[in-house]
Amino acid sequence: MAAAALCTILLLFLPFIVSQAKPTPKQNNTISFSFPLTSLRFSSDIKARTLNPSLVSVSRHGPSPRQRLPQSSSYNYKTTFKYSMALIVALPIGTPPQTQQMVLDTGSQLSWIQCHKKAPRKPPPTATFDPSLSSSFSVLPCNHPLCKPRIPDFTLPTSCDQNRLCHYSYFYADGTLAEGNLVREKFTFSRSQSTPPLILGCATDTSDDKGILGMNLGRFSFASQSRISKFSYCVPTRRAETGVSPTGSFYLGENPNSRGFRYINLLVFPQSRTMPNMDPFAYTLPMQGIRIGAKKLAIPVHVFRPDAGGSGQTMIDSGSEFTYLVDEAYNKVREEVVRLVGPRLKKGYVYGEVADMCFDGNPTEIGRLIGDMAFEFDKGAEITVDKQRILADVGGGVHCLGIGRSNMLGIASNIIGNFHQQNLWVEFDLANRRVGFGKADCSRAAV
C-alpha cells in the first residue's frame, strides 16, 4: 500500500450563503458569514491520496521575506465540513459564485480548482468550475512574470501551452498529477464581500473533482493573497456508525471561540535558503516532547528542531492524516508502546509502509492500556489525545496508533496530522505569527 493511502477525506457540501451577520465595530467593519451544511459521502472504493505538500516531488519553493499581514481581516467567513477523512471545504468562487470543494491544506501554497466547461444539462451544485460562466475569470499569458522560472517562493514548473497560456504541472509522491493553467479568480462571499482576483491553478487533467485550498505562509497561498489576518478550524472526532458524518467548522477571520485559546509563537528561520530539507512556509511549531500516560519520553528537544540542513522541522498540517516522526522520536514512542502492550502488536504488519504500531484486538482495551498521549509545546501548550481515540481504524479490524515514520516518506520532518487535531480548535494567527489551540466538542462547534 502506498504512503498516499494514509490521506483521509473530510467532506463538506455547502449550499449558497443564507445569512449575513451585522457588521461589528472592528477595523474595516469586519463582516461575519455562516453557512448551513448538507452531508455528502464518498464510496469506500475511491482512491485516497496524500495531499501533503511535503511529499510533492517537484522542487521545494525558495524562500523570500514574509510580509507582515494586516491586523484585521477584510471579512470573516464561517463554513463547516463533514468528516470522512481529509478536510474539505466548499467555497463560492467566481462571479456569480460557483461552489467548489477544496481540500483544506495548511501545508501547501498553490490553490487550484477543477476547470471544465459544463455539459448543457444542469450540473450538480458541487460540479467542477466552468470559467465561461464567471465574469471575473482571467488567464495568465506566457509573458506574465509568474510564468517565468525561478520566481521567488513560487517555483512550479511552468511552460507555454499551444494557446500561449501559462501552463503548470504539479506532481504528488504517489504519481498523481494536477496540471492546467495559472489564472486569476476571486472568491465571492456575498454581493459586497469578496477577495481580489487571486492567482489559482485551473486544473484540467486530474481524476478528482476537488481542488486544493493552499493555506501556508507562502505569498501565493490563499491566506496570503486574500490578506486575512487569521483562520481556524475545528476537526470533529470520527465515528464508526454508518451514515454518521460529524460536522466541524472552518473560519476565515475572527473566531468567536478564541477567548480560551492557548497560543504559541511560530518558529521563524530567516536563513532557510541554506536549509535544503526545510519548508520555510510551513507552520513550524516549537515542540518540546511527547508524553504517553504520565511518562514523558526521553526524546531530546533538538529532535523536534531543524538542524543546519533543515531536518527535524516540526510542522502542523491539515493536509496529512497521520502524524509522522523522525526515527529518533518514533523509536522512543514505539519503545514505550511495546513496553505497555507489546504482546498485542500485530506481528509483521506495517500499515501504508510507514506505521507498525498496529493491533487486531479491542481498540478500547488497548487504548486504556496505552493511556492518553500528548504533544508538548512551549508556554505549557499541548495537544492531548484521549486514550479512547488514540488508535485509528485502518480497516479490516486493524487499528494503528496514527503515527508513522517520516523517513519512509522520504522526508526528514515531524508532521502533526489531522488525526491528532480532532476535537481541537486550531487557529493560525498570521498577523502575530502564532498558532492557538483550544479544546472543543467540534461536532457542536458548528451549531
Side-chain angles (χ1 to χ4, degrees):
M1 182 182 301
L6 295 179
C7 180
T8 55
I9 302 173
L10 192 104
L11 278 187
L12 172 147
F13 173 78
L14 190 67
F16 192 61
I17 301 169
V18 297
S19 65
Q20 176 176 328
K22 295 179 179 179
T24 57
K26 297 179 180 179
Q27 297 129 314
N28 294 345
N29 283 331
T30 303
I31 303 296
S32 178
F33 293 94
S34 64
F35 290 77
L37 179 81
T38 302
S39 65
L40 182 67
R41 293 174 59 91
F42 274 141
S43 60
S44 59
D45 61 346
I46 288 184
K47 177 187 177 185
R49 64 174 180 264
T50 296
L51 296 170
N52 178 353
S54 299
L55 311 183
V56 175
S57 60
V58 298
S59 60
R60 299 302 303 158
H61 300 159
S64 71
R66 283 176 290 202
Q67 298 178 350
R68 185 174 180 83
L69 295 175
Q71 293 290 331
S72 63
S73 303
S74 58
Y75 50 80
N76 282 354
Y77 171 79
K78 177 200 171 189
T79 186
T80 51
F81 46 70
K82 291 287 187 185
Y83 216 147
S84 181
M85 288 185 180
L87 313 177
I88 297 182
V89 294
L91 298 177
I93 302 177
T95 309
Q98 302 174 47
T99 300
Q100 300 297 302
Q101 291 184 346
M102 306 179 76
V103 175
L104 174 62
D105 191 358
T106 61
S108 67
Q109 179 168 198
L110 178 70
S111 295
W112 52 267
I113 54 179
Q114 298 288 346
C115 293
H116 298 283
K117 189 173 179 60
K118 292 182 172 62
R121 64 181 183 277
K122 185 178 180 180
T126 55
T128 56
F129 184 82
D130 186 346
S132 69
L133 301 179
S134 174
S135 62
S136 53
F137 179 89
S138 64
V139 296
L140 266 65
C142 285
N143 60 1
H144 191 282
L146 285 180
C147 204
K148 298 178 180 179
R150 295 296 179 186
I151 297 298
D153 78 6
F154 196 73
T155 55
L156 284 175
T158 55
S159 62
C160 282
D161 66 12
Q162 60 185 4
N163 297 316
R164 301 293 298 169
L165 300 178
C166 188
H167 185 88
Y168 72 91
S169 298
Y170 204 80
F171 288 93
Y172 293 89
D174 67 347
T176 302
L177 169 67
E179 65 174 340
N181 295 117
L182 291 181
V183 302
R184 287 186 183 274
E185 184 57 286
K186 62 174 60 176
F187 289 65
T188 307
F189 302 113
S190 74
R191 291 182 179 179
S192 61
Q193 292 290 315
S194 66
T195 68
L198 311 180
I199 299 294
L200 304 173
C202 201
T204 56
D205 187 17
T206 63
S207 58
D208 207 342
D209 63 353
K210 287 166 293 299
I212 298 286
L213 186 68
M215 297 293 283
N216 75 1
L217 289 167
R219 64 189 179 100
F220 287 101
S221 72
F222 173 87
S224 295
Q225 289 192 77
S226 61
R227 293 192 173 275
I228 56 172
S229 63
K230 60 182 64 174
F231 67 93
S232 54
Y233 56 80
C234 197
V235 181
T237 56
R238 304 176 187 184
R239 296 176 186 170
E241 298 93 333
T242 302
V244 175
S245 297
T247 302
S249 295
F250 171 59
Y251 279 89
L252 293 176
E254 296 292 336
N255 185 329
N257 303 282
S258 65
R259 181 172 298 178
F261 292 179
R262 185 183 290 268
Y263 291 90
I264 53 177
N265 294 327
L266 293 169
L267 297 181
V268 179
F269 303 95
Q271 302 302 319
S272 55
R273 183 179 295 274
T274 63
M275 298 183 181
N277 297 322
M278 185 177 188
D279 181 350
F281 304 113
Y283 295 98
T284 304
L285 303 182
M287 194 152 93
Q288 299 291 332
I290 299 174
R291 191 175 69 248
I292 295 181
K295 180 178 180 179
K296 182 169 182 177
L297 305 183
I299 307 173
V301 174
H302 72 78
V303 172
F304 305 114
R305 300 289 193 278
D307 60 19
S311 299
Q313 178 181 18
T314 299
M315 61 190 85
I316 186 165
D317 184 9
S318 66
S320 291
E321 179 194 4
F322 274 17
T323 289
Y324 299 95
L325 299 174
V326 297
D327 279 353
E328 190 170 353
Y330 186 92
N331 291 338
K332 289 294 184 181
V333 172
R334 193 179 192 281
E335 179 182 297
E336 180 64 8
V337 170
V338 168
R339 185 183 74 82
L340 295 168
V341 289
R344 297 171 181 263
L345 282 169
K346 186 174 176 63
K347 292 181 174 59
Y349 182 87
V350 181
Y351 175 64
E353 302 178 2
V354 298
D356 64 354
M357 291 180 281
C358 301
F359 308 87
D360 276 326
N362 185 309
T364 301
E365 179 183 348
I366 295 170
R368 190 184 310 116
L369 293 172
I370 296 175
D372 299 342
M373 182 169 62
F375 300 95
E376 300 177 341
F377 304 94
D378 64 2
K379 298 184 179 180
E382 62 181 37
I383 296 176
T384 303
V385 185
D386 187 270
K387 56 181 174 291
Q388 295 179 342
R389 53 184 179 85
I390 198 173
L391 298 180
D393 184 351
V394 299
V398 180
H399 293 78
C400 299
L401 195 62
I403 298 178
R405 293 183 183 271
S406 59
N407 75 323
M408 298 304 293
L409 301 177
I411 59 177
S413 303
N414 303 290
I415 302 172
I416 300 173
N418 64 53
F419 179 78
H420 291 118
Q421 299 175 47
Q422 297 174 74
N423 269 4
L424 184 73
W425 278 113
V426 183
E427 180 180 85
F428 298 81
D429 184 346
L430 307 177
N432 296 300
R433 296 185 180 182
R434 61 181 187 170
V435 172
F437 299 125
K439 292 182 179 179
D441 180 348
C442 292
S443 62
R444 294 186 178 183
V447 176

